[in-house]
Amino acid sequence: MAQAARPQHGLLSFLDTDGKAHPRENAIAVATLLIGLISFVTAYFPGLHLVSSWTGLIGMLGGAWGQLISATTGERFLLIIGLGASGVGFYLGMAHGGLFGGLLG
């Protein structure tokens, strides 16, 4: 039970529940969450469909990659939330004009 008593330090210490540092995986999880949040928020403004659709696409691709390489449950938790928000942003952005709406025509 010595591992249960070790102190956890840092803002994102809940991501490293196995006792090892995973800086790359943690960075991908946090980036997916932030990109998903941007995509989700901008999706509710039809004029920002380019931002929401592109950030949604990037968030979904990054989140899918993060799921493949994630090491802990905390990372997967953030990735799923980011993937969901990215998906909503992507699909609403596509409904409002898409990835290239207004640029090609």
Side-chain angles (χ1 to χ4, degrees):
M1 292 298 292
Q3 69 274 15
R6 74 174 141 62
Q8 300 252 337
H9 300 291
L11 182 63
L12 298 174
S13 62
F14 71 94
L15 295 178
D16 297 328
T17 55
D18 62 349
K20 301 173 190 165
H22 305 284
R24 180 180 50 156
E25 291 85 352
N26 293 350
I28 291 172
V30 171
T32 299
L33 183 66
L34 292 176
I35 290 171
L37 180 65
I38 292 168
S39 179
F40 185 80
V41 170
T42 58
Y44 291 99
F45 301 98
L48 295 176
H49 64 88
L50 289 173
V51 175
S52 64
S53 59
W54 278 106
T55 55
L57 182 62
I58 292 167
M60 288 191 307
L61 294 174
W65 178 252
Q67 282 290 332
L68 288 173
I69 65 168
S70 64
T72 63
T73 304
E75 293 165 359
R76 293 181 193 112
F77 178 77
L78 291 184
L79 285 165
I80 289 297
I81 294 173
L83 274 166
S86 295
V88 169
F90 175 72
Y91 291 125
L92 286 175
M94 292 300 286
H96 291 151
L99 295 169
F100 301 106
L103 294 180
L104 299 178

